[in-house]
Amino acid sequence: MKTLLLSDSEHDVKQAGEILKNGGLVGIPTETVYGLAANALDGEAVARIFSAKGRPMDNPLIVHIADIGDIEKFDLVADFPQKAKMLAEIFWSGPLTMIMPKGRAIPDEVSAGLDTVAIRFPEHKTAQEIIKAAGVPLAAPSANISGSPSPTTAEHVMNDLNGKINAVVDGGECRVGLESTVITMVSDTPRILRPGGITPEQIESVIGKIDIDDAVLNRLEKNEKAASPGMKYKHYSPKARVILVRGEGYINYVNSKSDKNVAALCYNDDVKKLSVRAFPLGNMTDTDSQAHTLFDRLRQIDCENYDIVYARCPKADGVGMAIYNRLIRAAGFEVIDLEKL
Ligand code: TXA
Ligand code: MG
């Protein structure tokens, strides 16, 4: 199949809408990462997403809307809890996904057999225009081959999926760079299943106490069931082995490995002190720019062949929680604690 590279012009957005209406797959820009979209109400179209990505069928998809009214109009949820409405009021449109009891319109392919559905209202103007042009809500996981880092440019999408999907709309670099915060509104106390650009602190300031699922920061035991099926898969990983390094001695530790084929994933100030190839994420305190660059750096690392990448272990608070959550998975939970050596 030839994959069209479309622009965000009115003409091209209309064409993307037509492809989606006809059951096709389109890579779309959002403020978090690029999504691989299909008509969320068409089970056959949604099934094509799983084949193109090589995604396990038991991992459910997020349904994207372009207006809060779409939830009722298309019968997407069986219940829109009060606290979810309060969060929607403040954080939609934006990088927050809420899990609610699923409505009649949701095919099994979207919810992967669960009785819930994840809903997100992206803030990206072109994403909203494409949803409107399609005239239906769009199911969309991140537009990467399953297991690799999520795409934050149209070029990343092309690198992974060229020839497997109908089109990609180029809407520029994604602003946030990490996937949305996922929170389930089905449990008594809402619980974060995946941290993202909207932090737990921001959410608690609107609806009070929430929980953080164990799988956000810790490895699930083999027999534990993941609240969010995506959490159990290896993720975001470049080909090189990634190891997180915690502690003051990071620079010396990495430099002691400089006779080997290794690289460093670090902060801007570290670069001049390191004697190995360094991939800076941003300034040490600037978590927004670290989030913004992380996936692009992981993809760059893939293009040059390293055996091991030593990554600075981030602090797991604020947006840092999302960065930590992605990196610890890229590392398969391998951490070296220099203070404990
Ligand atoms: O920012 C984002 O959320 C991007 C853009 C494209 O919107 N999408 C994205 O989708 O990251 P995906 O499929 O890569 O990640 C969705 C996560 C997965 O971990 C999945 O298991 C979880 O959300 N999820 C989806 N529906 C769920 C449900 N009903 N219950 C629990 N977890 C769910
Ligand atoms: Mg993904």
Side-chain angles (χ1 to χ4, degrees), residues 17-325:
E18 288 304 316
I19 296 171
L20 289 160
K21 273 186 196 158
N22 292 322
L25 302 185
V26 180
I28 65 166
T30 84
E31 71 280 13
T32 56
V33 300
Y34 274 72
L36 179 56
N39 175 355
L41 309 180
D42 175 350
E44 274 175 40
V46 172
R48 286 185 200 113
I49 293 179
F50 288 86
S51 350
K53 277 186 60 114
R55 179 176 174 109
M57 290 294 290
D58 68 348
N59 194 2
L61 305 180
I62 296 172
V63 174
H64 297 68
I65 57 174
D67 186 304
I68 297 195
D70 288 351
I71 293 184
E72 203 177 333
K73 177 171 166 197
F74 292 104
D75 204 359
L76 303 182
V77 305
D79 177 35
F80 195 169
Q82 188 53 31
K83 284 184 181 172
K85 286 187 178 146
M86 289 161 73
L87 291 178
E89 177 91 5
I90 305 287
F91 298 116
W92 278 0
S93 59
L96 177 72
T97 296
M98 292 195 270
I99 294 174
M100 300 187 252
K102 82 167 176 182
R104 274 192 299 259
I106 303 294
D108 279 343
E109 287 83 355
V110 168
S111 55
L114 300 177
D115 51 12
T116 55
V117 63
I119 310 276
R120 165 158 139 71
F121 180 175
E123 149 200 313
H124 199 291
K125 203 167 138 282
T126 310
Q128 295 181 3
E129 287 168 357
I130 296 169
I131 299 167
K132 286 188 184 141
V136 285
L138 299 177
S142 49
N144 50 284
I145 292 287
S146 220
S148 68
S150 295
T152 55
T153 64
E155 194 190 344
H156 293 164
V157 180
M158 273 299 203
N159 289 343
D160 275 21
L161 297 172
N162 192 6
K164 296 185 174 164
I165 63 178
N166 301 89
V168 181
V169 175
D170 189 345
E173 255 183 49
C174 301
R175 176 179 67 78
V176 180
L178 294 181
E179 306 85 346
S180 61
T181 304
V182 177
I183 184 165
T184 177
M185 307 306 293
V186 174
S187 49
D188 278 347
T189 307
R191 191 165 84 249
I192 291 203
L193 303 182
R194 181 178 72 184
I198 305 286
T199 63
E201 294 83 356
Q202 284 176 291
I203 294 174
E204 287 193 326
S205 74
V206 180
I207 56 167
K209 171 104 183 69
I210 58 168
D211 291 331
I212 311 281
D213 197 78
D214 275 350
V216 165
L217 300 176
N218 305 302
R219 191 207 300 257
L220 282 176
E221 297 302 329
K222 287 240 159 27
N223 50 3
E224 252 175 301
K225 191 167 171 284
S228 176
M231 287 284 180
K232 72 184 177 205
Y233 296 108
K234 184 158 183 182
H235 245 136
Y236 319 114
S237 38
K239 293 176 201 96
R241 175 174 165 204
V242 177
I243 303 179
L244 301 197
V245 181
R246 184 183 282 143
E248 294 294 315
Y250 175 81
I251 301 282
N252 287 342
Y253 182 82
V254 176
N255 283 342
S256 76
K257 309 282 180 192
S258 59
D259 56 329
K260 312 240 168 49
N261 182 30
V262 305
L265 189 60
C266 57
Y267 301 132
N268 290 354
D269 282 348
D270 299 334
V271 177
K272 54 184 181 301
K273 300 178 205 152
L274 284 163
S275 53
V276 305
R277 172 86 162 97
F279 295 85
L281 289 174
N283 286 328
M284 184 162 23
T285 50
D286 185 357
T287 46
D288 284 345
S289 78
Q290 292 163 27
H292 178 78
T293 22
L294 176 64
F295 287 144
D296 190 52
R297 291 289 182 263
L298 290 176
R299 281 177 179 262
Q300 280 177 7
I301 287 170
D302 249 353
C303 296
E304 304 174 22
N305 283 309
Y306 297 102
D307 298 327
I308 301 185
V309 180
Y310 293 104
R312 275 238 194 225
C313 187
K315 271 220 211 78
D317 56 10
V319 176
M321 182 185 284
I323 300 170
Y324 178 85
N325 169 273

